[in-house]
Amino acid sequence: MPKTLKKSEKIVRAAMELFYKNGFHATGIESILKKAQVSKKTLYSYFESKDALILEALKYRSDQFNGFWDRVRERASEPRDRLLAIFDLQKEWFESDMFYGCLFINAVGEYSRKGNPFKKVSQTVKVDTYENIKGLLEEMSHPDPSFAAEKITLLFEGAIVTAQVSSKSRSANIAKEIVKTILDSDMKAEKHKEIEMEPGLVNEVLS
Amino acid sequence: MPKTLKKSEKIVRAAMELFYKNGFHATGIESILKKAQVSKKTLYSYFESKDALILEALKYRSDQFNGFWDRVRERASEPRDRLLAIFDLQKEWFESDMFYGCLFINAVGEYSRKGNPFKKVSQTVKVDTYENIKGLLEEMSHPDPSFAAEKITLLFEGAIVTAQVSSKSRSANIAKEIVKTILDSDMKAEKHKEIEMEPGLVNEVLS
DNA sequence: GGTCATGTAGACCGATTGGTCTACTTTTAG
DNA sequence: CTAAAAGTAGACCAATCGGTCTACATGACC
């Protein structure tokens, strides 16, 4: 934790890490103060309540997660390779000491009531994940990017939870293998479809 | 909640439902008493602490979940159909009003320290899931039941989390489609392998 | 050097937590 | 009928919670 961080960011960061590691309800304000090395008054000058701080911590994590997609693009140049690189990076995440599952999944676990602001942020993050994956599928001219993105997003989530509960970073490899199978199957099916449709298409153009 | 239930079961059941809906830390003893319509003294005559009650609630849920596999077997007779039926039943679960994600995933989210007894129970349940799926794969003579079971278990988890966070019961259908793709791909690959190997096998037998 | 915002340490508040215990009531069994 | 067992309601306890506020220290700017 760099010393040059702004006070507010130092607090949010400390809060996020504790929420992540110990849960939201279980994390007391006092422990955040200690970790951030900040007084109670300072914390409450930046955040009006614990709930407000939770919200900021989730947003902070959400911003961090955006960096993930940048790294995916750095890791590979072809869309298909990028889709697979997602799971290589995911595995590295699983193996880091800062892995306690997904903060957003954990948040929904503790705040399940619909309409809950924490849940809403979590849903937004998942939509972003879906959109990023769908974007890559469109780039590789996948025949059905929406459906395939749903599949791959589901695999992404499944790998996280499996890694979290069973402490198996291997789940990222499993998910990656399934993605390969899906993409091969989808692209092959499309090729068949194209071949089947070609005569009709040609006829239509000619007529 | 039937009136004929034993006191202790009434308590565990009420506790489980509240833990499930509102989380573990967020659920106070008082609210459990109210829901179970039981006095504090009675509760503490059956369970020595809240933690002990949490453990029993998790075990209770685990037993309930065992019934899931019975229903899978009732739903279909062929192993492959049973594998797919898992996700039909999962969808029904998602659409019931008693769906707040997976209690065990939620538990791990709140109690992440390794060695935690709640986490251990959760891991055991996940192993059971894996074993059940693997069993079905073995029945259908899948070429690699262990690996395929890992894949399908991951899909099972992914569907749960997706349904929980994004409130989409559709995730069960997505997972089911992926399972079909995986099984088709695996069984076809195996057929190829068999064909390729057949001559060698025949030669070996003949020599 | 003085001023003023910004910080710290932590006492304090009411509410709530998990848990104990007393006093009373109901149920059950011989 | 009676007496023990098992129940109830809820007072009570120390600890902790989120949050406020006082008293004091520090550092930047003019």
Side-chain angles (χ1 to χ4, degrees):
Chain A
M1 188 142 10
K3 205 176 183 176
T4 55
L5 279 178
K6 286 177 109 96
K7 277 271 145 71
S8 65
E9 188 174 346
K10 210 171 148 187
I11 296 169
V12 176
R13 206 184 159 99
M16 190 223 84
E17 286 176 18
L18 288 167
F19 291 147
Y20 194 17
K21 194 179 303 191
N22 304 320
F24 296 90
H25 287 93
T27 299
I29 293 287
E30 222 87 32
S31 68
I32 297 170
L33 300 180
K34 196 180 162 192
K35 176 150 191 155
Q37 297 207 103
V38 141
S39 77
K40 217 173 215 184
K41 192 154 199 208
T42 303
L43 187 149
Y44 279 102
S45 75
Y46 286 108
F47 309 96
E48 67 166 354
S49 66
K50 183 185 178 181
D51 277 7
L53 180 53
I54 292 178
L55 203 59
E56 290 307 312
L58 288 171
K59 286 181 184 166
Y60 186 83
R61 184 64 179 164
S62 168
D63 289 342
Q64 277 191 341
F65 188 54
N66 277 336
F68 182 84
W69 301 109
D70 298 333
R71 273 179 287 148
V72 166
R73 274 172 229 115
E74 289 164 16
R75 199 53 88 87
S77 50
E78 291 303 308
R80 192 196 143 100
D81 294 335
R82 283 178 173 171
L83 276 170
L84 298 177
I86 290 170
F87 297 89
D88 295 334
L89 282 164
Q90 197 188 43
K91 190 187 175 73
E92 291 172 22
W93 173 35
F94 294 168
E95 284 169 352
S96 73
D97 29 331
M98 247 303 273
F99 178 67
Y100 298 93
C102 168
L103 187 66
F104 306 103
I105 294 173
N106 295 353
V108 175
E110 290 199 48
Y111 303 94
S112 68
R113 292 205 211 330
K114 74 171 175 177
N116 179 289
F118 310 149
K119 188 172 181 177
K120 278 188 181 173
V121 174
S122 303
Q123 288 172 334
T124 303
V125 172
K126 298 306 179 187
V127 171
D128 288 347
T129 302
Y130 167 82
E131 293 294 346
N132 271 289
I133 291 172
K134 190 175 149 194
L136 290 171
L137 287 160
E138 282 164 350
E139 281 179 50
M140 68 181 275
S141 305
H142 188 283
D144 192 348
S146 303
F147 191 32
E150 281 194 279
K151 293 183 198 167
I152 298 176
T153 305
L154 188 149
L155 288 166
F156 190 76
E157 308 284 2
I160 295 171
V161 172
T162 302
Q164 178 183 21
V165 175
S166 307
S167 308
K168 289 192 295 184
S169 70
R170 196 178 135 67
S171 63
N173 304 44
I174 310 277
K176 188 179 174 180
E177 283 307 310
I178 303 177
V179 171
K180 281 188 204 166
T181 306
I182 290 175
L183 291 180
D184 287 352
S185 169
D186 287 354
M187 299 310 269
K188 198 189 296 173
E190 178 60 5
K191 201 160 270 177
H192 286 159
K193 218 165 87 184
E194 270 172 23
I195 292 166
E196 277 168 23
M197 282 173 65
E198 212 134 29
L201 202 71
V202 171
N203 286 344
E204 212 167 292
V205 170
L206 290 177
S207 65
Chain B
M1 192 147 3
K3 204 175 185 176
T4 55
L5 279 177
K6 285 181 112 83
K7 277 271 145 71
S8 65
E9 188 175 346
K10 209 171 149 189
I11 296 169
V12 176
R13 206 185 160 98
M16 191 223 80
E17 287 176 18
L18 288 168
F19 291 146
Y20 194 18
K21 193 178 305 191
N22 305 320
F24 297 90
H25 287 93
T27 300
I29 293 287
E30 221 87 30
S31 69
I32 297 170
L33 299 180
K34 196 179 162 192
K35 175 150 193 157
Q37 297 207 102
V38 142
S39 78
K40 218 172 215 184
K41 192 153 201 210
T42 304
L43 187 148
Y44 279 101
S45 76
Y46 286 109
F47 309 95
E48 68 165 353
S49 65
K50 183 186 176 180
D51 278 7
L53 180 53
I54 291 177
L55 204 59
E56 290 308 311
L58 287 172
K59 285 180 185 165
Y60 185 83
R61 183 66 179 162
S62 169
D63 289 342
Q64 277 191 340
F65 189 54
N66 277 336
F68 181 85
W69 301 108
D70 298 333
R71 273 178 288 148
V72 166
R73 273 172 229 115
E74 289 163 16
R75 199 55 87 88
S77 50
E78 292 301 310
R80 191 195 143 100
D81 294 336
R82 283 178 172 171
L83 276 171
L84 298 177
I86 290 171
F87 297 90
D88 296 333
L89 282 164
Q90 197 188 42
K91 189 187 175 76
E92 290 172 22
W93 174 34
F94 294 168
E95 284 169 351
S96 73
D97 30 330
M98 248 302 274
F99 178 68
Y100 298 95
C102 168
L103 187 66
F104 306 102
I105 294 173
N106 296 351
V108 175
E110 289 198 49
Y111 303 95
S112 67
R113 290 202 218 322
K114 74 171 175 178
N116 179 289
F118 310 150
K119 189 173 181 175
K120 278 187 179 171
V121 174
S122 303
Q123 288 171 335
T124 304
V125 172
K126 298 306 178 186
V127 170
D128 288 347
T129 302
Y130 167 82
E131 294 293 346
N132 271 289
I133 291 172
K134 191 176 147 193
L136 290 172
L137 286 160
E138 282 163 350
E139 281 180 49
M140 68 181 275
S141 306
H142 188 283
D144 191 348
S146 303
F147 191 33
E150 282 195 278
K151 292 182 198 169
I152 297 175
T153 306
L154 188 149
L155 288 166
F156 190 76
E157 308 284 4
I160 294 171
V161 172
T162 302
Q164 178 182 21
V165 175
S166 307
S167 308
K168 290 192 296 184
S169 70
R170 195 178 135 67
S171 64
N173 304 44
I174 310 276
K176 188 179 176 182
E177 283 306 310
I178 303 177
V179 171
K180 281 188 203 166
T181 305
I182 290 174
L183 292 181
D184 287 352
S185 169
D186 287 355
M187 299 310 268
K188 197 187 299 175
E190 176 60 5
K191 200 159 273 178
H192 284 159
K193 219 165 88 186
E194 270 172 24
I195 291 166
E196 277 167 23
M197 282 171 67
E198 211 135 28
L201 203 71
V202 170
N203 286 344
E204 210 166 294
V205 169
L206 290 176
S207 66

